[in-house]
Coordinates of all heavy atoms in Angstrom, one line a residue:
M1 N -18.4 1.1 0.0 CA -19.1 1.1 -1.3 C -19.0 2.6 -1.8 O -19.3 3.5 -1.1 CB -20.5 0.7 -1.0 CG -21.3 0.6 -2.3 SD -22.9 -0.2 -2.0 CE -24.0 1.2 -1.8
K2 N -18.6 2.7 -3.1 CA -18.5 4.0 -3.7 C -19.8 4.4 -4.3 O -20.6 3.7 -4.8 CB -17.5 3.9 -4.9 CG -16.3 4.7 -4.7 CD -15.4 4.6 -5.9 CE -14.3 5.5 -5.8 NZ -13.4 5.5 -6.9
T3 N -20.1 5.7 -4.1 CA -21.3 6.3 -4.6 C -21.1 6.6 -6.1 O -20.1 7.2 -6.5 CB -21.6 7.6 -3.9 OG1 -21.6 7.4 -2.5 CG2 -22.9 8.2 -4.3
P4 N -22.1 6.3 -7.0 CA -21.9 6.6 -8.4 C -21.9 8.1 -8.6 O -22.6 8.8 -7.9 CB -23.1 5.9 -9.1 CG -24.1 5.7 -8.0 CD -23.3 5.6 -6.7
P5 N -21.1 8.6 -9.6 CA -21.1 10.1 -9.8 C -22.4 10.6 -10.3 O -23.2 9.9 -11.0 CB -20.0 10.2 -10.9 CG -19.4 8.9 -11.1 CD -20.2 7.9 -10.4
T6 N -22.7 11.8 -9.9 CA -24.0 12.5 -10.2 C -23.7 13.5 -11.3 O -22.5 13.7 -11.7 CB -24.5 13.2 -9.0 OG1 -23.6 14.2 -8.6 CG2 -24.8 12.3 -7.9
Q7 N -24.7 14.1 -11.9 CA -24.6 15.1 -12.9 C -23.7 16.3 -12.3 O -22.9 16.8 -13.0 CB -25.9 15.6 -13.3 CG -26.1 16.0 -14.7 CD -27.5 16.4 -15.0 OE1 -28.4 16.3 -14.2 NE2 -27.7 16.8 -16.2
L8 N -24.0 16.6 -11.0 CA -23.2 17.7 -10.4 C -21.8 17.3 -10.3 O -20.9 18.1 -10.6 CB -23.8 17.9 -9.0 CG -23.1 19.0 -8.1 CD1 -23.1 20.3 -8.8 CD2 -23.7 19.0 -6.7
A9 N -21.5 16.1 -9.8 CA -20.1 15.6 -9.7 C -19.4 15.7 -11.0 O -18.2 16.1 -11.1 CB -20.1 14.2 -9.1
A10 N -20.0 15.2 -12.1 CA -19.4 15.2 -13.4 C -19.2 16.6 -13.9 O -18.1 16.9 -14.5 CB -20.4 14.5 -14.4
F11 N -20.1 17.6 -13.6 CA -19.9 19.0 -14.0 C -18.7 19.6 -13.3 O -17.9 20.2 -14.0 CB -21.2 19.8 -13.7 CG -21.0 21.3 -13.9 CD1 -21.1 21.8 -15.2 CD2 -20.7 22.1 -12.8 CE1 -21.0 23.1 -15.4 CE2 -20.6 23.5 -13.1 CZ -20.7 24.0 -14.4
V12 N -18.6 19.4 -12.0 CA -17.5 19.9 -11.3 C -16.2 19.4 -11.8 O -15.2 20.1 -12.0 CB -17.6 19.7 -9.7 CG1 -16.4 20.1 -9.0 CG2 -18.8 20.5 -9.2
K13 N -16.1 18.1 -12.0 CA -14.9 17.5 -12.4 C -14.5 18.0 -13.8 O -13.4 18.3 -14.1 CB -15.1 15.9 -12.4 CG -13.8 15.2 -12.6 CD -14.1 13.7 -12.4 CE -12.8 13.0 -12.0 NZ -13.1 11.6 -11.7
E14 N -15.5 18.1 -14.7 CA -15.3 18.5 -16.1 C -14.8 20.0 -16.1 O -13.8 20.3 -16.8 CB -16.6 18.4 -16.9 CG -16.5 18.9 -18.3 CD -17.8 18.9 -19.0 OE1 -18.6 18.1 -18.7 OE2 -18.0 19.8 -19.9
M15 N -15.4 20.8 -15.3 CA -15.0 22.2 -15.2 C -13.6 22.4 -14.6 O -12.8 23.2 -15.1 CB -16.0 23.1 -14.4 CG -17.3 23.2 -15.1 SD -17.3 23.9 -16.8 CE -17.1 25.6 -16.4
R16 N -13.3 21.6 -13.6 CA -12.0 21.7 -13.0 C -10.9 21.3 -14.0 O -9.9 22.0 -14.1 CB -11.9 20.7 -11.8 CG -10.6 20.7 -11.1 CD -10.6 19.8 -9.9 NE -10.8 18.4 -10.2 CZ -10.0 17.5 -10.7 NH1 -8.7 17.9 -11.0 NH2 -10.3 16.2 -10.8
R17 N -11.2 20.3 -14.8 CA -10.2 19.8 -15.8 C -10.1 20.8 -16.9 O -9.0 21.1 -17.4 CB -10.6 18.5 -16.3 CG -10.3 17.4 -15.3 CD -10.7 16.0 -15.8 NE -10.2 15.0 -14.8 CZ -10.6 13.7 -14.9 NH1 -11.5 13.3 -15.9 NH2 -10.2 12.9 -14.0
K18 N -11.2 21.4 -17.3 CA -11.3 22.4 -18.4 C -10.3 23.6 -18.0 O -9.6 24.1 -18.9 CB -12.7 22.9 -18.6 CG -12.8 24.0 -19.6 CD -14.2 24.5 -19.7 CE -14.3 25.6 -20.7 NZ -15.7 26.1 -20.9
Y19 N -10.4 24.0 -16.7 CA -9.5 25.1 -16.3 C -8.2 24.7 -15.7 O -7.5 25.5 -15.1 CB -10.3 26.0 -15.3 CG -11.4 26.7 -15.9 CD1 -12.8 26.3 -15.8 CD2 -11.2 27.9 -16.7 CE1 -13.8 27.0 -16.4 CE2 -12.2 28.5 -17.3 CZ -13.5 28.1 -17.2 OH -14.6 28.8 -17.8
R20 N -7.9 23.4 -16.0 CA -6.6 22.8 -15.6 C -6.3 23.1 -14.1 O -5.2 23.5 -13.7 CB -5.5 23.4 -16.5 CG -5.7 23.0 -17.9 CD -4.6 23.7 -18.8 NE -5.0 23.4 -20.2 CZ -4.2 22.8 -21.0 NH1 -3.0 22.3 -20.7 NH2 -4.6 22.7 -22.3
L21 N -7.2 22.8 -13.3 CA -7.1 22.9 -11.8 C -6.9 21.5 -11.2 O -7.6 20.5 -11.6 CB -8.3 23.6 -11.2 CG -8.6 25.0 -11.6 CD1 -9.9 25.4 -11.1 CD2 -7.5 25.9 -11.1
T22 N -6.1 21.4 -10.2 CA -6.0 20.1 -9.5 C -7.1 20.2 -8.4 O -7.7 21.3 -8.2 CB -4.7 19.9 -8.7 OG1 -4.5 21.0 -7.8 CG2 -3.5 19.9 -9.7
Q23 N -7.4 19.1 -7.7 CA -8.4 19.2 -6.6 C -7.9 20.1 -5.5 O -8.7 20.8 -4.9 CB -8.6 17.8 -6.1 CG -9.5 16.9 -7.0 CD -9.7 15.5 -6.5 OE1 -9.0 15.0 -5.7 NE2 -10.8 14.9 -6.9
V24 N -6.6 20.1 -5.3 CA -6.0 21.0 -4.3 C -6.3 22.5 -4.7 O -6.7 23.3 -3.9 CB -4.5 20.7 -4.1 CG1 -3.9 21.8 -3.2 CG2 -4.3 19.3 -3.5
D25 N -6.0 22.8 -6.0 CA -6.2 24.1 -6.5 C -7.7 24.6 -6.3 O -8.0 25.7 -5.9 CB -5.9 24.3 -8.0 CG -4.4 24.1 -8.3 OD1 -3.6 24.3 -7.5 OD2 -4.2 23.6 -9.5
L26 N -8.6 23.7 -6.7 CA -10.0 24.0 -6.6 C -10.4 24.2 -5.1 O -11.2 25.2 -4.8 CB -10.9 22.8 -7.2 CG -12.4 23.0 -7.2 CD1 -12.8 24.3 -7.9 CD2 -13.1 21.8 -7.8
A27 N -9.9 23.4 -4.2 CA -10.2 23.6 -2.8 C -9.7 24.9 -2.3 O -10.4 25.7 -1.6 CB -9.6 22.4 -2.0
D28 N -8.5 25.3 -2.7 CA -7.9 26.5 -2.2 C -8.6 27.7 -2.8 O -9.0 28.7 -2.1 CB -6.4 26.6 -2.7 CG -5.5 25.7 -1.9 OD1 -5.9 25.2 -0.8 OD2 -4.4 25.5 -2.3
K29 N -8.9 27.7 -4.1 CA -9.6 28.8 -4.7 C -11.0 29.0 -4.3 O -11.5 30.2 -4.3 CB -9.5 28.7 -6.2 CG -8.1 28.9 -6.8 CD -8.2 28.8 -8.3 CE -6.8 28.9 -8.9 NZ -6.2 30.2 -8.8
S30 N -11.7 28.0 -3.9 CA -13.1 28.1 -3.5 C -13.3 28.2 -2.0 O -14.4 28.5 -1.5 CB -13.9 26.9 -4.0 OG -13.4 25.7 -3.5
G31 N -12.2 27.9 -1.2 CA -12.3 28.1 0.2 C -12.9 26.9 0.9 O -13.5 27.1 2.0
V32 N -12.9 25.7 0.3 CA -13.4 24.5 1.0 C -12.2 23.6 1.2 O -11.1 23.8 0.6 CB -14.5 23.9 0.2 CG1 -15.7 24.8 0.0 CG2 -14.0 23.4 -1.2
G33 N -12.4 22.5 1.9 CA -11.4 21.6 2.1 C -11.2 20.6 1.0 O -12.1 20.4 0.2
L34 N -10.0 20.0 0.9 CA -9.7 19.1 -0.2 C -10.6 17.8 -0.1 O -11.1 17.3 -1.1 CB -8.2 18.6 -0.1 CG -7.8 17.5 -1.0 CD1 -8.0 17.9 -2.5 CD2 -6.3 17.2 -0.8
N35 N -10.9 17.4 1.1 CA -11.8 16.3 1.3 C -13.2 16.6 0.8 O -13.9 15.7 0.2 CB -11.9 15.9 2.8 CG -12.4 14.5 3.0 OD1 -12.1 13.6 2.2 ND2 -13.2 14.3 4.0
F36 N -13.7 17.8 0.9 CA -15.0 18.2 0.4 C -15.0 18.1 -1.1 O -15.9 17.6 -1.7 CB -15.3 19.6 0.8 CG -16.7 20.1 0.3 CD1 -17.8 19.7 1.1 CD2 -16.8 20.7 -0.8 CE1 -19.1 20.1 0.6 CE2 -18.1 21.1 -1.3 CZ -19.2 20.8 -0.6
V37 N -13.9 18.6 -1.8 CA -13.8 18.5 -3.2 C -13.9 17.1 -3.7 O -14.6 16.7 -4.6 CB -12.6 19.3 -3.8 CG1 -12.4 19.0 -5.2 CG2 -12.7 20.8 -3.5
R38 N -13.1 16.2 -3.0 CA -13.1 14.8 -3.4 C -14.5 14.2 -3.2 O -14.9 13.5 -4.1 CB -12.1 14.1 -2.5 CG -10.7 14.4 -2.9 CD -9.7 13.6 -2.0 NE -8.3 13.9 -2.5 CZ -7.2 13.8 -1.7 NH1 -7.3 13.4 -0.5 NH2 -6.1 14.1 -2.2
N39 N -15.1 14.5 -2.1 CA -16.5 13.9 -1.9 C -17.5 14.5 -2.9 O -18.3 13.7 -3.4 CB -17.0 14.3 -0.5 CG -16.3 13.5 0.6 OD1 -15.8 12.4 0.3 ND2 -16.2 14.0 1.8
L40 N -17.3 15.7 -3.3 CA -18.2 16.3 -4.3 C -18.0 15.6 -5.7 O -19.0 15.3 -6.3 CB -17.9 17.8 -4.4 CG -18.7 18.6 -5.5 CD1 -20.2 18.5 -5.2 CD2 -18.3 20.1 -5.4
E41 N -16.8 15.4 -6.1 CA -16.5 14.8 -7.3 C -16.9 13.3 -7.4 O -17.1 12.7 -8.4 CB -15.1 15.0 -7.7 CG -14.8 16.4 -8.2 CD -13.4 16.6 -8.8 OE1 -12.7 15.6 -9.0 OE2 -13.1 17.7 -9.2
Q42 N -17.0 12.7 -6.2 CA -17.4 11.3 -6.1 C -18.9 11.1 -6.0 O -19.4 10.0 -6.0 CB -16.7 10.6 -5.0 CG -15.2 10.4 -5.2 CD -14.5 9.9 -4.0 OE1 -15.1 9.6 -2.9 NE2 -13.2 9.7 -4.1
G43 N -19.6 12.3 -5.9 CA -21.1 12.2 -5.8 C -21.7 11.9 -4.5 O -22.8 11.4 -4.4
K44 N -20.9 12.2 -3.4 CA -21.5 12.0 -2.1 C -22.8 12.7 -1.9 O -23.0 13.8 -2.2 CB -20.5 12.4 -1.0 CG -21.0 12.1 0.4 CD -20.0 12.5 1.4 CE -20.5 12.2 2.8 NZ -19.7 12.8 3.9
P45 N -23.9 12.0 -1.5 CA -25.2 12.5 -1.5 C -25.5 13.5 -0.3 O -26.5 14.2 -0.3 CB -26.1 11.3 -1.4 CG -25.3 10.3 -0.7 CD -23.9 10.5 -1.1
T46 N -24.6 13.6 0.7 CA -24.9 14.4 1.8 C -23.8 15.5 2.0 O -23.0 15.4 2.9 CB -25.0 13.6 3.1 OG1 -23.8 12.8 3.2 CG2 -26.2 12.6 3.1
L47 N -23.9 16.5 1.1 CA -22.9 17.6 1.2 C -23.7 18.9 1.4 O -24.9 19.0 1.0 CB -22.1 17.7 -0.1 CG -21.2 16.6 -0.4 CD1 -20.6 16.7 -1.7 CD2 -20.1 16.5 0.7
R48 N -23.1 19.8 2.1 CA -23.7 21.1 2.4 C -23.9 21.9 1.1 O -22.9 22.2 0.4 CB -22.9 21.9 3.4 CG -23.0 21.3 4.8 CD -22.2 22.1 5.8 NE -22.3 23.5 5.6 CZ -21.6 24.4 6.4 NH1 -20.8 23.9 7.3 NH2 -21.7 25.7 6.2
L49 N -25.1 22.4 0.9 CA -25.4 23.2 -0.3 C -24.6 24.5 -0.4 O -24.2 24.9 -1.5 CB -26.9 23.5 -0.4 CG -27.4 24.2 -1.6 CD1 -27.1 23.4 -2.9 CD2 -28.9 24.4 -1.5
D50 N -24.4 25.2 0.8 CA -23.7 26.4 0.7 C -22.2 26.2 0.3 O -21.7 27.0 -0.5 CB -23.7 27.1 2.1 CG -23.1 26.3 3.2 OD1 -23.1 25.1 3.2 OD2 -22.6 26.9 4.2
K51 N -21.6 25.1 0.7 CA -20.3 24.8 0.3 C -20.2 24.4 -1.2 O -19.3 24.7 -1.9 CB -19.7 23.7 1.1 CG -19.4 24.2 2.5 CD -18.8 23.1 3.4 CE -17.4 23.5 3.9 NZ -16.7 22.5 4.5
I52 N -21.2 23.6 -1.7 CA -21.3 23.3 -3.1 C -21.4 24.6 -3.9 O -20.7 24.7 -4.9 CB -22.6 22.4 -3.4 CG1 -22.4 21.0 -2.7 CG2 -22.8 22.3 -4.9 CD1 -23.7 20.2 -2.8
N53 N -22.2 25.5 -3.5 CA -22.3 26.8 -4.2 C -21.0 27.6 -4.1 O -20.7 28.3 -5.1 CB -23.5 27.6 -3.7 CG -24.8 27.1 -4.3 OD1 -24.8 26.6 -5.5 ND2 -25.9 27.2 -3.6
Q54 N -20.2 27.5 -3.1 CA -18.9 28.1 -3.0 C -18.0 27.6 -4.2 O -17.3 28.4 -4.8 CB -18.2 27.8 -1.7 CG -18.4 28.8 -0.6 CD -17.6 28.4 0.6 OE1 -18.2 27.8 1.5 NE2 -16.3 28.6 0.6
V55 N -18.0 26.3 -4.4 CA -17.2 25.7 -5.5 C -17.8 26.1 -6.8 O -17.1 26.6 -7.7 CB -17.2 24.2 -5.3 CG1 -16.5 23.5 -6.5 CG2 -16.5 23.7 -4.0
L56 N -19.1 26.0 -7.0 CA -19.7 26.3 -8.3 C -19.5 27.8 -8.7 O -19.5 28.1 -9.9 CB -21.2 26.0 -8.3 CG -21.5 24.5 -8.2 CD1 -23.0 24.3 -8.1 CD2 -20.9 23.7 -9.4
A57 N -19.4 28.7 -7.7 CA -19.3 30.1 -8.0 C -18.0 30.4 -8.8 O -18.0 31.3 -9.6 CB -19.2 30.9 -6.7
L58 N -17.0 29.6 -8.7 CA -15.8 29.7 -9.5 C -16.1 29.5 -11.0 O -15.4 30.0 -11.8 CB -14.7 28.7 -9.1 CG -14.1 29.0 -7.7 CD1 -13.1 27.8 -7.4 CD2 -13.3 30.3 -7.7
F59 N -17.2 28.8 -11.3 CA -17.5 28.5 -12.6 C -18.8 29.2 -13.1 O -19.4 28.9 -14.0 CB -17.7 27.0 -12.8 CG -16.5 26.2 -12.3 CD1 -16.7 25.2 -11.3 CD2 -15.3 26.4 -12.8 CE1 -15.7 24.4 -10.9 CE2 -14.2 25.6 -12.3 CZ -14.4 24.7 -11.3
N60 N -19.1 30.3 -12.3 CA -20.3 31.1 -12.6 C -21.6 30.2 -12.6 O -22.4 30.3 -13.6 CB -20.2 31.9 -13.9 CG -19.1 33.0 -13.8 OD1 -19.0 33.6 -12.7 ND2 -18.3 33.2 -14.8
A61 N -21.7 29.4 -11.7 CA -22.9 28.5 -11.6 C -23.3 28.4 -10.1 O -22.5 28.7 -9.2 CB -22.5 27.1 -12.1
E62 N -24.5 27.9 -9.9 CA -25.0 27.6 -8.5 C -26.1 26.6 -8.6 O -26.7 26.3 -9.6 CB -25.5 28.9 -7.9 CG -26.8 29.4 -8.4 CD -27.3 30.7 -7.7 OE1 -26.6 31.3 -6.9 OE2 -28.4 31.0 -8.0
C63 N -26.3 25.9 -7.4 CA -27.4 24.9 -7.3 C -28.6 25.7 -6.7 O -28.4 26.6 -5.9 CB -27.0 23.9 -6.3 SG -26.1 22.5 -7.0
G64 N -29.7 25.2 -7.1 CA -30.9 25.8 -6.6 C -32.1 24.9 -6.9 O -31.9 23.8 -7.5
P65 N -33.3 25.3 -6.5 CA -34.5 24.5 -6.7 C -34.8 24.4 -8.2 O -34.7 25.3 -8.9 CB -35.6 25.2 -5.9 CG -35.1 26.6 -5.7 CD -33.6 26.6 -5.8
V66 N -35.2 23.2 -8.6 CA -35.6 22.9 -10.0 C -36.9 22.2 -9.9 O -37.0 21.2 -9.1 CB -34.5 22.0 -10.7 CG1 -34.9 21.7 -12.1 CG2 -33.2 22.7 -10.7
A67 N -37.8 22.6 -10.7 CA -39.1 21.9 -10.7 C -39.0 20.5 -11.3 O -38.2 20.3 -12.2 CB -40.1 22.7 -11.6
I68 N -39.7 19.6 -10.6 CA -39.7 18.2 -11.1 C -41.1 17.9 -11.7 O -42.1 18.2 -11.2 CB -39.6 17.3 -9.9 CG1 -38.2 17.5 -9.2 CG2 -39.7 15.8 -10.3 CD1 -38.0 16.7 -7.9
T69 N -41.0 17.4 -12.9 CA -42.2 17.0 -13.6 C -42.6 15.6 -13.1 O -41.9 14.6 -13.3 CB -42.0 17.0 -15.1 OG1 -41.5 18.2 -15.5 CG2 -43.3 16.7 -15.9
K70 N -43.8 15.5 -12.5 CA -44.2 14.2 -12.0 C -45.1 13.6 -13.1 O -45.9 14.2 -13.7 CB -45.0 14.4 -10.7 CG -44.2 14.9 -9.6 CD -44.9 14.7 -8.3 CE -43.9 15.1 -7.2 NZ -44.2 14.5 -5.9
T71 N -44.9 12.3 -13.2 CA -45.7 11.5 -14.1 C -46.4 10.4 -13.3 O -45.9 9.9 -12.3 CB -44.8 10.8 -15.2 OG1 -43.9 10.0 -14.6 CG2 -44.2 11.9 -16.1
T72 N -47.6 10.1 -13.7 CA -48.3 9.1 -13.0 C -48.1 7.7 -13.7 O -47.9 7.6 -14.9 CB -49.8 9.4 -13.0 OG1 -50.3 9.5 -14.4 CG2 -50.1 10.6 -12.2
L73 N -48.0 6.7 -12.9 CA -47.8 5.4 -13.5 C -49.1 4.9 -14.0 O -50.2 5.1 -13.4 CB -47.3 4.4 -12.4 CG -45.9 4.8 -11.8 CD1 -45.6 3.9 -10.6 CD2 -44.8 4.7 -12.9
P74 N -49.1 4.1 -15.1 CA -50.3 3.6 -15.7 C -50.9 2.6 -14.8 O -50.4 2.0 -13.9 CB -49.8 3.0 -17.0 CG -48.4 2.9 -17.0 CD -47.9 3.8 -15.9

């Protein structure tokens, strides 16, 4: 069963294409494995944050904590 792409997956894929990089290029330039890049772009939910940030650093971005606004149900 394939995992649906996430916002992060879409961002990485969009940036990779914007800079005309193949998945192999992205893996080489960021220092992660090709399988990791594939999993990241497919939205795999269990990836290491440090490796995600290695990839995002190429695009001057990083993952970090974001406040969640909680709403109560009526």
Side-chain angles (χ1 to χ4, degrees):
M1 184 167 97
K2 246 184 172 177
T3 307
T6 61
Q7 216 175 354
L8 176 62
F11 174 81
V12 171
K13 194 173 203 174
E14 178 184 330
M15 295 302 285
R16 178 177 62 78
R17 288 180 172 167
K18 177 181 177 180
Y19 290 102
R20 298 175 188 239
L21 298 170
T22 65
Q23 288 182 331
V24 173
D25 294 335
L26 182 57
D28 288 343
K29 289 181 182 296
S30 62
V32 300
L34 176 57
N35 199 40
F36 182 84
V37 170
R38 288 180 177 157
N39 287 334
L40 178 58
E41 287 191 1
Q42 290 174 0
K44 184 176 178 190
T46 55
L47 294 173
R48 288 180 40 183
L49 185 57
D50 61 331
K51 290 180 121 187
I52 292 171
N53 280 329
Q54 265 182 260
V55 173
L56 292 177
L58 289 176
F59 308 123
N60 292 320
E62 69 178 13
C63 270
V66 177
I68 298 173
T69 304
K70 293 197 176 201
T71 57
T72 56
L73 296 174

